Amino acid sequence: MKKICSLFIAVLFIVSLTGCGSSSKNEITCTTEQDGTKVIATVRTDKDDKVTGVKMSTEMTASSKEELDTTYELMKLAEDEMNKNDGVKYSISKKDLKLIMTVDLDFNKASDEVKSELGMDDIDTTGAEFKKNAEAEGATCK
């Protein structure tokens, strides 16, 4: 259960650093790893460096097959609901003792309601600000 909480916190941290913008032109990829959870966030920005979307891949290593299966089943329940939203692509998979969750959010297509549910309705940032904040939290960005 502790790893599930870490997973959600990592995802919310990365998502909370992003904002709205127009069409994608550039990308910044930030990676962080803590307590067996690795998060890779690729932020898309427009020509003015406004964040237009983010693709997050979160890989968690479970301590047992039972933990993996339980967590997978819980996360799998969210897949259909998440994918009903425009601008959101969500997938969950497992391999060996690893759980891999991928969320791709397009700020130009996602509704204000979805953005609000994810805590992003009032966030407006640039790629440079995202990178600075992520690195301040210990992520490696390029």
Side-chain angles (χ1 to χ4, degrees):
M1 192 59 136
K2 185 176 178 182
K3 288 190 179 210
I4 295 172
C5 291
S6 294
L7 172 73
F8 283 121
I9 290 169
V11 170
L12 289 174
F13 165 71
I14 297 295
V15 170
S16 72
L17 294 175
T18 59
C20 303
S22 57
S23 65
S24 297
K25 298 291 181 199
N26 302 307
E27 294 183 343
I28 299 167
T29 300
C30 297
T31 305
T32 187
E33 194 165 349
Q34 182 178 2
D35 298 328
T37 300
K38 181 178 183 178
V39 178
I40 301 171
T42 301
V43 175
R44 298 180 297 273
T45 62
D46 66 10
K47 63 183 172 112
D48 296 321
D49 198 35
K50 289 284 193 180
V51 174
T52 60
V54 63
K55 181 176 183 178
M56 293 174 292
S57 178
T58 304
E59 183 179 292
M60 181 187 86
T61 302
S63 58
S64 68
K65 185 174 180 343
E66 293 78 22
E67 179 187 32
L68 175 71
D69 291 342
T70 301
T71 305
Y72 175 80
E73 291 304 321
L74 287 171
M75 303 297 283
K76 191 74 175 163
L77 293 173
E79 187 172 34
D80 289 339
E81 282 302 311
M82 291 286 286
N83 286 325
K84 288 180 183 177
N85 297 299
D86 288 335
V88 179
K89 294 178 188 172
Y90 174 90
S91 66
I92 188 85
S93 61
K94 60 182 178 174
K95 182 178 181 182
D96 302 321
L97 285 178
K98 296 197 183 293
L99 181 74
I100 301 112
M101 179 184 71
T102 302
V103 179
D104 193 338
L105 186 62
D106 182 335
F107 295 116
N108 296 319
K109 294 180 181 175
S111 69
D112 289 341
E113 181 181 340
V114 169
K115 292 175 191 175
S116 179
E117 287 175 13
L118 296 172
M120 299 181 302
D121 51 338
D122 294 329
I123 298 173
D124 186 24
T125 191
T126 64
E129 289 170 354
F130 173 85
K131 181 179 178 193
K132 178 182 172 186
N133 291 337
E135 288 176 336
E137 294 293 325
T140 301
C141 300
K142 58 181 179 170

